[in-house]
Amino acid sequence: MKKNQVKYLKNLLETPSATGTETAVAALVRKRLANTADEIETDVMGSVHARLSGRGAGPCLMLSAHMDEIGLMVTYISDEGFLSVAAVGGVDAAILPGLRVDVHASNAFKPLRGVVGRKPIHLIDADERKKVTPIDQLVIDVGLPAKKVRKLVCVGDVVTFGVGFERFGKGMAVSRAFDDKAGVWVATRAMEELARAGRAQGDFVVAATVQEEIGVRGATTSAYGVRPDVAVAFDVTHATDYPGISQAKFGRIVCGQGPVIARGPNINPEVFERLVAAAKAEGVPYQVEAEPAVTGTDARAIQVTRGGIPTGLVSVPLRYMHTPTEVVCLSDLEATVRLLVRFALDLGEGASFVPGMGGVASDAPADAE
């Protein structure tokens, strides 16, 4: 990955966007695509829709990726100045004690450094050591006098993990919030590359959505408002290439072996076949993941919007999801951009997505009788 693209990815990842506070990342998306998209709008939910007009009469394709990350929210400020918090999204209480965090205080010019405090092991009874301390029993210490804390911090302020992006190993990277700012990177890069390739036949819309982590809320309104003919959601999925995870149960998903194409009832079968065909045509290695029910992604909402939208789901393998140390292989992100650009370019005017009545070859005009 080129240095300028790594810099852009790092900027996305390190810009805080706990669910409900995605405005700073939304501004990055608008700025990034200002010279590429023909039209950019932000809806009342806060999701950004950037449109690249098509060069023909092909179907409108929406590529969705969510901007929000998990975090915490201040629920109470004690008389001593310690902060009680609740989870915003799926936060694992077991990983919190001892973490450094950023408290995005309403009345401070920059985030306050905080630490998640807990009694040291010397003061914890033997039985208690075996239990996970619930989030509502943890506190955040910002190291300031109580009067100062109450002046700066307000109930409802959000907290994010106090870590950023770092490359390590061979082609790997670690950061908080790869879920799913990796997708925001992929979506914006796909639009840039599609513009360079001469555009698709139909419109291409990047939907950088909000509030996925609490119920795919932004995708629900974006799909309704954009009203695409076909959609692909992008997210991360669980890598199963490290100890302790059953591949028999969760499938074999390996970092560095390419994007993951989902298959199951949440996925339109014609879109799935087209994604596989695009990967093969582009020479992109890919993996297939079984999704036997609705997925925990934007695809869940998009598929059943209005009268139904044919939807696909592409992911990259991610280790240690919803922790401060999410890990991806950078080559998987680049390969996904190539896959999605090819998928968009191959969508022709005659594309059909009705199960059992479409097919990859259906874009070609029928022979005259």
Side-chain angles (χ1 to χ4, degrees):
M1 187 179 290
K2 295 181 179 179
K3 288 184 178 180
N4 62 328
Q5 302 302 347
V6 172
K7 182 179 179 180
Y8 171 48
L9 178 60
K10 176 180 170 69
N11 199 12
L12 286 170
L13 290 163
E14 296 183 354
T15 299
S17 62
T19 303
T21 63
E22 301 94 343
T23 53
V25 172
L28 287 180
V29 173
R30 290 191 294 266
K31 181 179 179 180
R32 178 75 185 197
L33 294 179
N35 296 321
T36 301
D38 298 303
E39 176 186 328
I40 300 177
E41 65 174 17
T42 305
D43 68 13
V44 295
M45 288 286 287
S47 300
V48 178
H49 306 149
R51 184 180 297 268
L52 184 68
S53 300
R55 55 182 168 79
C60 174
L61 168 63
M62 184 178 81
L63 175 58
S64 175
H66 69 90
M67 298 184 288
D68 59 317
E69 61 180 298
I70 62 168
L72 302 166
M73 180 175 285
V74 176
T75 59
Y76 173 73
I77 304 170
S78 75
D79 292 342
E80 298 78 21
F82 293 95
L83 310 179
S84 295
V85 293
V88 179
V91 179
D92 182 358
I95 68 170
L96 293 178
L99 278 184
R100 299 178 190 187
V101 295
D102 290 326
V103 179
H104 302 280
S106 295
N107 300 315
F109 291 108
K110 61 181 182 180
L112 304 177
R113 171 59 81 207
V115 296
V116 182
R118 196 187 72 165
K119 290 184 296 184
I121 191 169
H122 317 70
L123 307 181
I124 300 175
D125 294 336
D127 289 342
E128 189 179 348
R129 293 178 191 176
K130 302 175 184 178
K131 302 175 183 177
V132 173
T133 305
I135 291 176
D136 62 7
Q137 294 180 25
L138 297 170
V139 295
I140 293 177
D141 181 352
V142 295
L144 295 172
K147 185 177 180 180
K148 185 71 170 179
V149 175
R150 288 194 293 270
K151 181 179 179 181
L152 296 176
V153 182
C154 298
V155 169
D157 286 346
V158 297
V159 180
T160 54
F161 300 143
V163 294
F165 173 88
E166 183 180 357
R167 299 184 75 161
F168 79 110
K170 185 177 180 181
M172 308 299 285
V174 57
S175 180
R176 76 169 203 268
F178 270 122
D179 178 10
D180 182 37
K181 289 183 218 178
V184 178
W185 186 91
V186 164
T188 51
R189 289 287 300 121
M191 176 173 278
E192 291 171 344
E193 293 302 314
L194 188 59
R196 287 193 185 93
R199 303 176 179 241
Q201 292 190 45
D203 289 1
F204 179 79
V205 179
V206 167
T209 61
V210 299
Q211 300 190 28
E212 188 268 357
E213 296 292 358
I214 61 169
V216 296
R217 291 160 55 80
T220 302
T221 54
S222 289
Y224 190 92
V226 173
R227 201 169 188 169
D229 299 307
V230 57
V232 175
F234 178 91
D235 214 314
V236 293
T237 191
H238 298 287
T240 62
D241 58 354
Y242 59 97
I245 298 182
S246 169
Q247 293 189 351
K249 182 176 181 180
F250 298 107
R252 185 175 185 273
I253 305 297
V254 180
C255 288
Q257 294 193 8
V260 181
I261 304 174
R263 186 181 188 191
N266 194 179
I267 309 303
N268 178 276
E270 301 297 339
V271 174
F272 169 78
E273 294 294 343
R274 285 177 172 274
L275 286 166
V276 170
K280 291 179 178 179
E282 193 63 22
V284 171
Y286 69 94
Q287 306 172 72
V288 175
E289 181 174 28
E291 292 284 5
V294 293
T295 66
T297 71
D298 281 353
R300 185 176 78 198
I302 296 169
Q303 183 194 37
V304 292
T305 294
R306 293 187 182 268
I309 296 171
T311 303
L313 173 61
V314 177
S315 309
V316 292
L318 179 97
R319 296 175 186 162
Y320 325 124
M321 192 180 296
H322 282 203
T323 74
T325 52
E326 295 181 336
V327 169
V328 301
C329 180
L330 294 176
S331 65
D332 287 338
L333 299 181
E334 295 179 298
T336 305
V337 172
R338 292 170 52 205
L339 164 63
L340 293 170
V341 170
R342 183 59 183 260
F343 176 81
L345 289 172
D346 288 348
L347 285 175
E349 183 178 354
S352 172
F353 304 99
V354 179
M357 299 182 68
V360 173
S362 65
D363 293 3
D367 294 335
E369 294 182 2

